[in-house]
Amino acid sequence: MSNAGMDAEVFEQFLIQLERFVRDRLIPVERKIIETDLIPENVLEAMRDMGLFGLTIPEEHGGAGMNISQYIRTMHTLSYAMPAFRSIISINVGMFASALKNGGTEAQKAAWLPRIAAGEIAAFGLTEPGSGSDAAGLQTTAVPTADGWLLNGTKRYITNSPFAKVGLIMARTATENLPKNAHISAFIVPLDIPGVTICKSDRKMGQSGSHIADIVLEDVHVGSQALLGGELGKGFAFAMMSLDNGRMSVGAAATAYARRALDSAIRYATERKAFGEPIANFQLIQQMLAQSEIEIYAAECMMDDVTRRADAGENILRKAAAFKVFATEMCGRVVDACVQIHGGAGYLAEYDAERFFRDARIYRIYEGTTQILQLQIAKHMLREFAAAN
């Protein structure tokens, strides 16, 4: 099962156009976004016009029909700019649309995919106040009614929820925990219906312009057509399939942002003088620059490999996790080196180095923390070893 995706030549042209867009339109508005904590509406419109909200959505539903490699390379190109730009579209494309494409009924796809591709914003409701990595502890419930479902619960740290028109909400449809998380189903919930409250945006360490907030569901009634795929107990599986995409997307974002930080460190090192010469001439500065380059290159190679395997239909759960862990930890080291190369200036808000440092920290936490993913990788290795012996 391989995915050919968009025509290769058309895609390369698109990437060139996107690189120009990042340089000419996105990076120049970053300071304004830091001040206002919002992406300007005209920039969002330009992103919609470029088709960024429908990258992997099939062409018959108004999207670009990209395969996974193309999608991740697009995220990588976009993520050279501040994280808010990837954040606003990645839930649409990598999570909501992906779950719908893999698990939705034809009617659900026809109803929602064109709206998402056109730039309506979606949210993905898995995390709760009492359960993050431990999805089995999920408390939100969906109880059947005569003509649908009644949802109750709270979702926490939900990206884009203040702007979203629709959410994919994971809820318990069985009281006891079932094998393979079959007690969890997924529901397509319009966020403007009675009983849905979006709380105020949380204040964060970094990532200006990207918003997270709680979604509270109190006796929210949805029709029977809201159950993803029309099947009970499949929600978690579709959510997890989406998470592979999400992890590769975060890995790509961290890899690109590390490159941005390194570029800014090189520029600073060649301009800043100490002892009568540019600090770029000092070997310990060069060591930090070289080490950063080496690690970014390794992450880029992992990105190319895992996405190629994903398009070939391989099970990439372990490799997507490995790429996400390596790229995000690497990004942490590179943004730290960037601050160090800037010296005292690296601690000042007038330089980008301190913002890169704060923005990058979340990459090691969301879409699976480094520690949870290490456990997952080890579990799969041990399971394979046991099966082979």
Side-chain angles (χ1 to χ4, degrees):
M1 179 202 99
S2 72
N3 182 353
M6 237 173 126
D7 175 78
E9 208 171 302
V10 174
F11 175 69
E12 293 304 331
Q13 285 302 312
F14 167 77
L15 269 197
I16 292 166
Q17 189 191 352
L18 182 60
E19 271 172 29
R20 195 175 309 132
F21 181 69
V22 166
R23 194 181 59 236
D24 298 346
R25 288 293 305 273
L26 300 188
I27 290 174
V29 296
E30 287 183 345
R31 288 272 159 192
K32 184 181 178 186
I33 292 171
I34 290 165
E35 285 160 23
T36 60
D37 206 18
L38 281 176
I39 300 173
E41 195 50 48
N42 64 338
V43 174
L44 277 178
E45 271 313 305
M47 291 170 73
R48 287 185 178 106
D49 292 345
M50 281 188 79
L52 291 177
F53 285 87
L55 298 170
T56 60
I57 291 174
E59 287 178 51
E60 67 265 27
H61 295 304
M66 285 183 184
N67 62 22
I68 292 166
S69 313
Q70 291 169 339
Y71 166 56
I72 298 300
R73 281 184 66 196
T74 302
M75 291 295 102
H76 179 257
T77 302
L78 184 67
S79 299
Y80 188 79
M82 70 192 304
F85 301 114
R86 182 196 74 97
S87 201
I88 197 82
I89 63 171
S90 68
I91 305 293
N92 267 35
V93 179
M95 309 289 276
F96 187 90
S98 153
L100 224 62
K101 223 168 54 172
N102 294 327
T105 63
E106 288 311 313
Q108 287 168 340
K109 290 179 202 177
W112 287 104
L113 289 179
R115 291 173 64 170
I116 296 300
E120 277 194 19
I121 294 165
F124 188 83
L126 177 62
T127 305
E128 296 185 357
S131 70
S133 308
D134 166 28
L138 195 104
Q139 297 298 315
T140 298
T141 57
V143 177
T145 64
D147 56 349
W149 297 89
L150 202 62
L151 276 67
N152 280 283
T154 299
K155 295 295 177 180
R156 176 137 298 166
Y157 308 140
I158 305 302
T159 301
N160 297 339
S161 55
F163 315 119
K165 292 273 197 286
V166 62
L168 192 68
I169 304 291
M170 307 298 141
R172 276 181 171 271
T173 42
T175 47
E176 69 283 11
N177 287 351
L178 300 172
K180 297 190 187 307
N181 289 300
H183 54 285
I184 301 174
S185 303
F187 294 87
I188 303 166
V189 181
L191 296 179
D192 55 359
I193 61 176
V196 178
T197 308
I198 310 291
C199 300
K200 73 177 197 339
S201 293
D202 292 305
R203 294 178 64 190
K204 312 186 301 306
M205 179 192 283
Q207 302 228 354
S208 297
S210 161
H211 286 251
I212 61 173
D214 287 7
I215 299 177
V216 180
L217 307 152
E218 296 171 290
D219 289 340
V220 175
H221 183 267
V222 290
S224 54
Q225 78 286 353
L227 176 64
L228 185 71
E231 268 187 272
L232 282 179
K234 291 290 174 73
F236 191 74
F238 293 130
M240 289 301 104
M241 282 167 82
S242 302
L243 280 178
D244 279 345
N245 279 352
R247 283 167 188 164
M248 288 187 284
S249 175
V250 173
T255 303
Y257 216 46
R259 172 68 67 200
R260 170 84 181 275
L262 180 57
D263 286 349
S264 100
I266 293 168
R267 187 177 307 112
Y268 186 81
T270 53
E271 290 168 0
R272 170 83 166 97
K273 288 194 168 58
F275 309 103
E277 57 181 316
I279 64 169
N281 293 354
F282 303 144
Q283 287 181 331
L284 289 177
I285 297 287
Q286 292 177 2
Q287 186 272 336
M288 285 190 274
L289 295 173
Q291 186 59 32
S292 298
E293 174 64 30
I294 290 163
E295 293 200 59
I296 292 169
Y297 174 52
E300 287 169 348
C301 291
M302 289 176 88
M303 179 174 83
D304 290 346
D305 180 69
V306 71
T307 55
R308 181 180 52 75
R309 289 170 183 275
D311 280 327
E314 282 186 40
N315 179 343
I316 48 119
L317 186 142
R318 189 201 299 179
K319 285 184 167 59
F323 167 50
K324 196 268 183 188
V325 169
F326 180 81
T328 57
E329 293 286 339
M330 171 279 290
C331 184
R333 292 189 288 271
V334 173
V335 294
D336 189 66
C338 177
V339 171
Q340 196 68 12
I341 289 164
H342 278 73
Y347 206 70
L348 301 183
E350 71 181 276
Y351 290 90
D352 288 333
E354 66 86 30
R355 155 169 66 110
F356 297 154
F357 185 86
R358 287 182 296 104
D359 283 349
R361 188 59 185 86
I362 188 67
Y363 287 145
R364 291 183 264 167
I365 296 171
Y366 58 21
E367 310 278 1
T369 63
T370 292
Q371 289 70 28
I372 283 287
L373 294 180
Q374 285 169 329
L375 291 175
Q376 201 174 39
I377 290 164
K379 189 174 79 181
H380 279 258
M381 289 164 68
L382 293 168
R383 193 185 291 159
E384 259 176 44
F385 177 79
N389 289 279

